């Protein structure tokens, strides 16, 4: 009897409209977008030979929560969709044609110009939420996006808020799949958001799958349970296939973040109704497809429209209009122009305003200054002139000012909001700069020792270095990463390493490695005004000139306007013309500590040595190297690294290839002994490292040719 009554009541309700908790216009707009996303996925499946040429994924099953979010974001907001979020993109105003241009890797792809995968957006349109570049590496978007939120908070604290035509304050949204939350770098982002209370929402879409590994195999808990360990991030759950429920939940969360400026995580359970990607088909491994189909958000929203009084005829009209639009856009997209071969060279680096040496390198009356103080003065001058300049990293705050005192007094002068400590999180320190840069800031950050750069290389490679190129020139990552490097006297195996060759293989990053205080100051200034990411290697043994034979690193302090263009070497020592004419001279190519080894070794070979101090590794002043090799006919390249597979060895190979007819002997490269680590014991350390004496012997050997 009860069942019969319930059934009759249900039939009565279906004939009478019920008031929806959200207005009819929103329901209709949400349905049109969901219908578009569904139709796109179906079209892609029906045309797999064309659409699967390039790997892609779709939002099928995830549409409701994505659209509910997108419809509530404004142009002042930032969002980081991940690779299954095409419904977010449609929801913020992108067209099927826009998405198809990326799907087919066309020249007019609005995100990357045909360079990156489907639903890997980067967007800077005035009328839409901003989308800084992010990679395909799952979970890696958490750090750069949290960096955006950190930048928004910083600007608000200092009163340099972003341009905003809306009365609403900006919100930052980071979209994640639940499987990606197991990544360690996601935990770093959560830690900082909880600690600093950033205005960010982490939207976690949980479909129960990684690729072929399911939740039971890979997770001890879901994201909602996991986030409970990060005090200060409020967590909520929602059924992510119910558009109305998602819209209301997100409405409350976003309004709270706009007012209270604190972080949230929303865990949305969603079905996965399509393949992991076009290259990994669901039929290969899925055993739950039928169950997931019962939770399809499309019929749920369709019924919600009917419940709100929208007729079946009106719904079918929308479906017909959408299919016609999608089909037409697909035909048009296939005919669109492919990228031209020459396009590959666009947007490797953003143009820099520093193209020549300017300012006074040796002001009259200036006293010699140790290298670390030259750098400190440069940063202080930058902070005095630019509110957008801030400094953060491990132990750089007011209590210590850096383990080498390279940030001493800065926190006292500029406050804890502009100079602050971070947790021991190299990935966050480096990757967050992408987000900080996206909101117009220019962070100077530090990895405490080169030995500890490895946890941050993922962010440096996948996010920082590629932002400008893969966003087709929209999002250069303006940042400086300072890296104390090299052996400085019994630092041992974990505080003495040289890593420049690894970093030199990361394209899209500029690299400086100066040997004097004046060069460090001039390059720091240039790096700040350069819109590209810059790594500056600062040799610990040169900071205070305490290592014997390094007094030449102490230089007069250049004036505040002094800048040096990247890619311009200097001659640290000239050879005598008579020696050159007699064929008794040699070119030594060096950087960092190698310059000082060469300067001391040259004392044994009076007038015979010309030293080219590279100053920057990328870009490399290879023309000065070639000119020196041709001039002297003999060439020695010095590195502190073990020689094999190094940047220095690549210079030698290029000299050999391009200057062969000018050479009187082999191009030689010398460096440290090839062992796994630098020993702590002083005798072993000195045995391993290159030295002036060893350089002198090598010079003598080459001069005999």
């Amino acid at each position: 009897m009860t069942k019969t009554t319930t059934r009759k009541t249900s039939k009565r309700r279906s004939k009478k409209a019920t008031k929806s908790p959200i207005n009819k216009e929103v329901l209709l707009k949400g349905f049109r977008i969901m219908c578009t996303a569904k139709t796109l996925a179906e079209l892609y499946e029906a045309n797999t030979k064309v659409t699967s040429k390039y790997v892609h994924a779709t939002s099928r099953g995830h549409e409701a929560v994505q659209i509910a979010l997108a419809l509530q974001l404004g142009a002042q907001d930032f969002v980081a969709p991940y690779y299954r979020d095409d419904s977010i993109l449609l929801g913020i105003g992108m067209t099927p044609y826009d998405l198809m241009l990326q799907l087919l890797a066309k020249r007019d792809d609005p995100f990357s110009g045909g360079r990156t995968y489907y639903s890997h957006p980067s967007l800077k349109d005035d009328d839409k939420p901003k989308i800084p570049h992010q990679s395909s590496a799952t979970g890696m978007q958490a750090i750069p996006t949290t960096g955006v939120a950190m930048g928004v908070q910083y600007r608000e604290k200092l009163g340099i808020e972003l341009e905003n035509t809306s009365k609403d304050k900006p919100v930052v949204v980071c979209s994640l799949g639940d499987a990606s939350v197991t990544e360690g770098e996601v935990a770093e982002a959560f830690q900082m958001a909880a600690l600093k209370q950033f205005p960010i929402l982490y939207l976690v879409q949980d479909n129960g799958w990684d690729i072929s590994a399911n939740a039971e195999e890979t997770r001890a808990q879901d994201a909602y349970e996991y986030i409970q360990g990060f005090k200060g991030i409020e967590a909520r759950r929602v059924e992510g296939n119910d558009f109305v429920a998602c819209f209301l939940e997100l409405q409350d969360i976003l309004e709270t973040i706009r007012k209270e400026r604190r972080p949230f995580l929303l865990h949305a359970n969603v079905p996965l109704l399509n393949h992991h990607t076009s290259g990994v088909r669901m039929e290969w491994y899925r055993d739950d497809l039928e169950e997931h189909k019962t939770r399809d958000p499309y019929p749920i929203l369709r019924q919600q429209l009917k419940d709100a009084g929208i007729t079946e005829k009106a719904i079918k009209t929308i479906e017909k209009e959408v299919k016609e639009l999608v089909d037409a856009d697909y035909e048009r997209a296939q005919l669109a122009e492919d990228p031209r071969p020459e396009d590959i060279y666009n947007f490797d680096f953003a143009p820099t305003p520093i193209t020549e040496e300017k300012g006074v390198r040796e002001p009259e009356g200036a006293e010699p200054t140790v290298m670390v103080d030259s750098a400190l003065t440069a940063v202080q001058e930058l902070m005095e002139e630019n509110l957008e300049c801030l400094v953060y990293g491990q132990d750089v705050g007011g209590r210590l000012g850096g383990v080498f005192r390279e940030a001493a007094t800065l926190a006292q002068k500029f406050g804890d909001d502009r100079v602050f400590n971070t947790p021991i999180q190299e990935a966050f320190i480096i990757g967050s700069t992408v987000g900080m840069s996206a909101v117009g800031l220019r962070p100077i950050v530090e990895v405490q020792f080169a030995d500890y750069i490895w946890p941050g290389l993922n962010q440096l490679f996948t996010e920082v270095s590629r932002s400008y190129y893969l966003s087709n020139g929209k999002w250069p990552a303006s940042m400086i990463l300072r890296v104390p490097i090299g052996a400085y006297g019994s630092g041992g195996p974990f505080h003495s390493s040289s890593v420049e060759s690894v970093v030199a293989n990361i394209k899209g990053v500029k690299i400086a490695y100066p040997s004097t205080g004046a060069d460090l100051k001039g390059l720091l200034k240039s790096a700040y005004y350069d819109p590209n990411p810059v790594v500056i290697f600062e040799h610990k043994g040169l900071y205070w000139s305490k290592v014997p034979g390094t007094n030449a690193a102490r230089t007069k302090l250049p004036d505040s306007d002094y800048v040096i263009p990247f890619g311009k070497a200097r001659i640290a020592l000239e050879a005598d013309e008579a020696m050159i004419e007699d064929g008794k001279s040699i070119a030594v190519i060096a950087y960092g500590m190698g310059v000082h080894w060469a300067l001391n070794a040259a004392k044994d070979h009076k007038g015979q040595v010309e030293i080219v101090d590279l100053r920057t590794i990328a870009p490399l002043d290879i023309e000065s190297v070639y000119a020196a090799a041709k001039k002297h006919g003999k060439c020695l390249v010095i590195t502190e690294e073990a020689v094999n597979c190094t940047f220095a060895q690549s210079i030698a190979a290029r000299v050999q290839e391009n200057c062969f007819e000018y050479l009187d002997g082999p191009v030689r490269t010398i460096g440290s002994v090839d062992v796994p680590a630098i020993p702590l014991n002083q005798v072993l350390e000195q045995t391993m490292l290159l030295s002036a004496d060893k350089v002198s012997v090598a010079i003598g050997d080459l001069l005999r040719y």
Side-chain angles (χ1 to χ4, degrees):
M1 189 70 174
T2 303
K3 289 182 180 179
T4 304
T5 303
T6 303
R7 190 161 51 246
K8 286 180 179 178
T9 302
S10 177
K11 286 182 178 179
R12 268 200 313 272
R13 284 180 179 169
S14 67
K15 294 177 182 177
K16 182 179 179 181
T18 57
K19 183 173 176 59
S20 172
I22 60 178
N23 69 52
K24 195 177 293 187
E25 288 72 23
V26 172
L27 281 175
L28 283 167
K29 188 172 184 180
F31 179 73
R32 185 176 289 273
I33 296 168
M34 188 180 292
C35 183
T36 304
K38 176 175 177 288
T39 306
L40 282 173
E42 291 168 349
L43 180 140
Y44 297 164
E45 280 301 292
N47 296 274
T48 54
K49 287 186 178 179
V50 176
T51 60
S52 290
K53 181 178 180 181
Y54 305 108
V55 173
H56 67 275
T58 73
S59 60
R60 194 70 188 93
H62 294 225
E63 301 100 326
V65 69
Q66 291 184 23
I67 297 166
L69 168 71
L71 291 179
Q72 299 183 72
L73 297 178
Q76 77 277 18
D77 296 322
F78 290 80
V79 61
Y82 81 116
Y83 58 79
R84 202 178 300 285
D85 283 350
D86 54 15
S87 285
I88 290 180
L89 300 175
L90 292 167
I92 65 172
M94 305 305 291
T95 67
Y97 182 67
D98 292 329
L99 302 191
M100 289 170 183
L101 288 174
Q102 187 174 48
L103 172 77
L104 301 172
K106 296 295 186 175
R107 188 170 195 253
D108 290 334
D109 155 30
F111 304 131
S112 72
R115 294 175 175 185
T116 196
Y117 287 120
Y118 179 74
S119 199
H120 283 60
S122 53
L123 198 65
K124 210 172 185 179
D125 291 358
D126 291 338
D127 62 340
K128 298 181 184 69
K130 307 303 176 281
I131 308 177
H133 162 264
Q134 61 183 1
S135 75
S136 186
T138 54
M140 296 306 98
Q141 70 269 35
I143 284 177
T145 311
T146 304
V148 172
M150 183 162 73
V152 168
Q153 183 190 76
Y154 175 84
R155 294 186 72 109
E156 289 175 359
K157 282 184 175 181
L158 270 69
I160 47 173
E161 296 190 28
L162 291 160
E163 289 184 20
N164 183 6
T165 57
S166 169
K167 62 179 178 14
D168 294 327
K169 289 190 173 182
V171 164
V172 180
V173 180
C174 179
S175 177
L176 295 159
D178 195 80
S180 74
V181 176
T182 59
E183 286 275 8
E185 292 185 19
V186 176
E188 292 192 19
F190 287 166
Q191 170 71 22
M192 284 297 290
L195 178 67
K196 300 288 188 177
Q197 292 293 286
F198 298 143
I200 188 169
L201 165 63
Y202 299 100
L203 172 62
V204 179
Q205 301 170 61
D206 187 357
N207 59 37
W209 287 93
D210 190 334
I211 298 180
S212 66
N214 62 25
E216 288 72 25
E217 295 175 82
T218 58
R219 298 174 236 164
Q221 65 281 306
D222 65 28
Y224 176 86
E225 296 160 338
Y226 180 58
I227 204 67
Q228 307 302 321
F230 295 88
K231 185 178 178 181
I233 299 180
E234 184 173 336
R236 306 242 186 121
R237 286 191 190 274
V238 72
E239 287 304 315
N241 61 343
D242 185 330
F243 176 76
V244 172
C246 290
F247 191 93
L248 294 172
E249 190 69 65
L250 282 159
Q251 185 176 60
D252 182 60
I253 290 171
L254 293 172
E255 286 178 357
T256 304
I257 296 175
R258 293 192 198 282
K259 291 174 184 175
E260 300 180 12
R261 317 308 279 153
R262 60 186 177 91
F264 278 75
L265 180 142
L266 178 61
H267 178 267
N269 279 306
V270 291
L272 178 59
L273 301 180
N274 210 336
H275 313 289
H276 168 73
T277 66
S278 56
V280 183
R281 314 295 286 179
M282 56 187 172
E283 299 89 354
W284 296 349
Y285 61 92
R286 295 282 298 279
D287 54 9
D288 59 354
L289 289 171
E290 293 306 314
E291 188 277 325
H292 276 236
K293 289 176 183 177
T294 66
R295 295 188 282 128
D296 188 341
Y298 190 79
I300 295 174
L301 180 52
R302 211 175 187 281
Q303 185 60 48
Q304 288 169 340
L305 290 180
K306 290 184 176 182
D307 292 343
I310 297 165
T311 66
E312 177 71 16
K313 182 179 179 182
I315 293 171
K316 286 187 174 179
T317 298
I318 292 172
E319 292 172 331
K320 181 175 181 293
E321 291 172 350
V322 165
K323 188 170 191 320
E324 289 174 351
L325 171 66
V326 168
D327 287 346
D329 279 1
Y330 181 59
E331 294 301 318
R332 189 158 61 107
Q334 288 189 84
L335 298 174
E337 183 185 5
D338 283 322
R340 301 167 188 169
E342 62 268 23
D343 291 341
I344 196 172
Y345 300 105
N346 297 335
F347 308 118
D348 55 347
F349 286 104
T352 176
I354 310 299
T355 57
E356 58 182 321
E357 186 172 357
K358 291 183 179 179
V360 181
R361 183 180 176 94
E362 297 185 352
E364 189 175 345
E367 294 294 325
T369 304
V370 293
M371 195 167 176
V372 72
D373 285 348
S374 296
L376 182 61
T377 303
V379 175
Q380 180 176 311
E381 290 170 354
L382 288 168
M383 296 189 75
E384 287 170 346
E385 297 166 6
N386 305 279
L387 273 178
E388 293 80 10
C389 181
L390 68 160
V391 174
Y392 59 93
Q394 297 167 29
D395 297 305
V396 300
R399 288 192 185 91
L400 187 59
V403 295
F404 297 100
R405 305 293 287 160
E406 70 282 3
T409 74
L410 292 179
Q412 289 82 359
K413 290 175 181 174
F414 300 104
D416 294 337
D417 289 328
R418 295 189 66 191
V419 183
F420 56 89
N421 292 326
T422 65
I424 303 171
Q425 295 183 342
E426 288 82 4
F428 185 88
I429 292 167
I430 293 173
S432 62
T433 63
V434 177
M436 297 289 269
S437 177
V439 297
L441 303 175
R442 294 193 175 226
I444 299 174
V445 299
E446 180 182 311
V447 169
Q448 203 165 74
F449 289 86
D451 307 70
Y452 303 133
I453 199 172
W454 310 115
L457 281 187
N458 194 10
Q459 288 290 324
L460 187 64
F461 178 75
T462 62
E463 312 298 332
V464 176
S465 71
R466 298 176 171 191
S467 182
Y468 186 63
Y469 188 72
L470 290 183
S471 70
N472 219 27
K474 291 188 290 293
W475 296 104
S478 305
M479 59 85 84
I480 298 173
L481 173 60
R482 298 179 66 184
V483 183
I485 192 171
Y488 60 112
S490 298
F494 308 116
H495 300 84
S496 307
S497 296
S498 293
V499 300
E500 62 266 25
S501 291
V502 172
V503 179
N505 272 285
I506 300 177
K507 312 308 177 188
V509 173
K510 293 187 177 182
I511 305 168
Y513 199 151
S515 66
T516 71
D519 288 332
L520 177 52
K521 187 181 183 198
L523 289 167
L524 260 169
K525 288 290 189 77
S526 295
Y528 180 81
Y529 294 110
D530 196 313
N532 301 286
V534 177
V535 176
I536 298 188
F537 290 118
E538 304 174 16
H539 200 289
K540 300 186 296 289
L542 303 180
Y543 264 155
W544 300 92
S545 291
K546 289 184 176 179
V547 173
T550 60
N551 199 53
R554 295 166 56 99
T555 55
K556 290 184 177 182
L557 188 67
D559 70 9
S560 61
D561 296 324
Y562 184 64
V563 290
I564 300 170
F566 273 61
K568 184 63 177 175
R570 75 179 180 98
I571 303 302
L573 181 68
E574 293 184 348
D576 292 345
E577 284 298 325
M579 291 293 186
I580 299 171
E581 290 177 7
D582 289 345
K584 296 179 180 178
S585 64
I586 184 173
V588 176
I589 315 301
Y591 55 91
M593 182 63 80
V595 173
H596 299 275
W597 287 326
L599 285 169
N600 286 285
K603 295 173 184 177
D604 298 332
H605 310 278
K606 298 292 186 181
Q608 294 180 277
V609 179
E610 177 176 311
I611 301 172
V612 179
D613 180 357
L614 294 177
R615 300 200 290 196
T616 65
I617 288 173
L620 173 66
D621 186 357
I622 195 65
E623 294 306 320
S624 290
V625 174
Y626 292 162
K630 292 175 181 178
K631 179 179 178 181
H632 300 281
K634 292 175 278 290
C635 185
L636 174 68
V637 186
I638 298 176
T639 178
E640 188 170 329
E641 297 180 294
V643 169
N644 199 29
C645 301
T646 58
F647 161 75
Q649 200 169 55
S650 76
I651 293 176
R654 291 169 72 176
V655 171
Q656 191 82 9
E657 182 177 344
N658 291 279
C659 306
F660 181 76
E661 63 269 34
Y662 296 90
L663 298 176
D664 298 325
V667 180
R668 187 174 173 192
T669 308
I670 56 170
S672 298
V673 176
D674 196 354
V675 294
I678 299 175
L680 179 65
N681 179 272
Q682 187 176 23
V683 173
L684 296 176
E685 180 189 57
Q686 290 177 353
T687 302
M688 177 190 175
L689 289 174
L690 196 59
S691 66
D693 289 341
K694 294 175 184 177
V695 171
S696 180
V697 170
I699 290 172
D701 288 344
L702 280 174
L703 284 172
R704 281 192 280 274
Y705 281 92

